[in-house]
Amino acid sequence: MRISRKRLFFLLLLSFSTITFIRLLIITTTFSGPSSRHLHNRFLIDSFSQDPFTSKEFNLIQFLISKRAPCNILFFGLSTPQHLQLARLNHGGNSVFLEDDLNNIRDHRSEGKRDGVEMHLVEYKFKTSEAYDLLRYARNEEDCWIVPDELHSSRCKLALTGLPRVVYKKRWDIIVVDGPSGSEPDQPGRMSAIYTAGLIGRIKKSSDMNPTDVIVHNVNRTVERWFAWEYLCDENLVASKGRLWHFRIKKKHQSKLFCSQKAIQIL
């Protein structure tokens, strides 16, 4: 029995439709249940709730610490296990973490005590969305140009002057800026952390004139780039890997400008 073209076309169309329906039914049954959807969303959250260093970025910091240890290291941020791994390299030195998320401190407190590090809860006043206005304010405010004798005496509102006493007492050899998160406009931004790192690197402690190494993570983001250029300066940039910049800040007292070059242009 011969089948007409029209009937053959109808049978083929019916077959393809049936196969497509069965495949769709399998996919829906497998992935559309509440538990699987919850797990999928949880995976996305877990993937992006932390922003770890890449292997090249981590190795750069690791090499720096191994060269300067034992020393004093100040970490802005404690969001990944990598931070504690770096602190362990500082045998015989002092490692202090400043973290704005109490849960991160609770999660790592026991491990931190075992490694002999300090963890302090801090609060940041400014959100990432305020970065543009803050930079304009700081450029027009003389108190933000001057390097004070002591960090806590700075009158610039960008400076972190309410930190734990240990921050003001010690001379810091290495500062790692990897916090606060700053990944969303309504989250605390890293403007004050970077500005404060720039101050700490320039304030003289007695006769010590050793430079301070400052690491800034996530320079792929606009805020981190702006404030690193402005307060850590291109002439101090000694290395970069991926989203990480390494600055070496020499002690400088009572300077009208943080950087010798012309200020960056905000577009």
Side-chain angles (χ1 to χ4, degrees), residues 128 177 180-183 189-191 194 216-229 232 245:
T128 302
V177 180
S181 171
S183 60
R190 296 181 185 175
M191 300 81 69
I194 294 173
V216 179
H217 195 211
N218 297 120
V219 293
N220 56 306
R221 303 191 309 210
T222 302
V223 170
E224 281 76 359
R225 284 201 309 274
W226 271 359
F227 280 78
W229 280 334
L232 300 176
W245 282 348

Side-chain angles (χ1 to χ4, degrees), residues 174-198:
I174 300 174
I175 302 173
V176 180
V177 180
D178 198 19
S181 171
S183 60
E184 298 292 338
D186 61 344
Q187 291 180 343
R190 296 181 185 175
M191 300 81 69
S192 290
I194 294 173
Y195 177 82
T196 301

